[in-house]
Amino acid sequence: MPTATSNNVIDSSSEKQTEELAHKIQKKLKIGSIVFLYGEMGVGKTTFIKYLINNLQKENKLKQTEVTSPTFNLLNEYQINQIKINHYDLFRLKTDEELKNLGIFEDSLNAITLVEWPQLIKEKPKNLIELIFKYEDDHKKRSVQVRGLVL
């Protein structure tokens, strides 16, 4: 079970802890939920999303699919019975215009929207959940700060 420290900061140093956190947060998501995932490359954002999506597939008795970061195509979509998940990776975007062309929030009321590298988004949506992934001092330990959601 993930343990929270001060300010809703959770240790995610092991893959098992990341999986447990993904499961716990996935239980609280619903259609229309928007999650921004911040953090350096390799800190665990996509691994977290993989466990979140695969757990939803398992709960719905569906085959677990490979979940990769949509760095080059910008969006991966997953349909899990009645649940649509839009997984964005905005790492390669450089301008507001590129962001506008994606229309990230056009379908957000009908899907769960997960956004890696959301720094370009200036106007944050209401009911936003933010996950801030960080390396600790020795880079062997990792943590996730959760904002906008009580665990």
Side-chain angles (χ1 to χ4, degrees):
M1 177 67 75
T3 54
T5 58
S6 61
N7 299 326
N8 230 9
V9 175
I10 297 164
D11 186 349
S12 63
S13 299
S14 74
E15 196 161 333
K16 182 70 175 159
Q17 288 169 311
T18 301
E19 180 180 10
E20 290 170 351
L21 177 61
H23 179 74
K24 192 170 189 175
I25 289 176
Q26 172 257 312
K27 290 287 191 192
K28 296 188 177 257
L29 297 180
K30 58 186 182 297
I31 304 297
S33 293
I34 299 172
V35 182
F36 284 4
L37 297 96
Y38 300 90
E40 294 178 56
M41 200 171 291
V43 77
K45 300 180 299 293
T46 304
T47 299
F48 171 88
I49 290 172
K50 173 187 83 166
Y51 283 120
L52 188 146
I53 290 169
N54 285 164
N55 190 63
L56 266 171
Q57 290 169 329
K58 190 180 343 177
E59 285 182 359
N60 283 279
K61 297 178 177 37
L62 298 172
K63 180 182 174 195
Q64 293 181 26
T65 58
E66 183 177 1
V67 176
T68 60
S69 183
T71 303
F72 295 103
N73 54 341
L74 304 177
L75 169 64
N76 287 341
E77 295 177 316
Y78 302 88
Q79 191 69 45
I80 303 170
N81 291 340
Q82 303 305 313
I83 302 166
K84 180 180 177 185
I85 298 178
N86 292 326
H87 174 199
Y88 291 92
D89 184 323
L90 308 182
F91 180 75
R92 295 185 321 116
L93 298 187
K94 303 296 180 223
T95 67
D96 288 343
E97 195 61 35
E98 291 175 301
L99 184 63
K100 286 178 192 171
N101 291 337
L102 274 179
I104 291 176
F105 303 118
E106 289 174 8
D107 193 33
S108 65
L109 294 178
N110 301 312
I112 294 172
T113 304
L114 309 172
V115 183
E116 294 186 60
W117 302 97
Q119 288 82 338
L120 266 183
I121 301 172
K122 290 181 176 57
E123 195 170 321
K124 293 183 179 180
K126 293 180 180 176
N127 301 321
L128 174 65
I129 299 166
E130 294 178 291
L131 305 177
I132 299 97
F133 290 75
K134 290 185 179 178
Y135 285 113
E136 299 301 326
D137 294 334
D138 62 4
H139 280 284
K140 291 180 183 171
K141 293 189 181 225
R142 301 172 189 191
S143 65
V144 179
Q145 182 179 16
V146 180
R147 294 183 186 159
L149 183 68
V150 178
L151 296 179

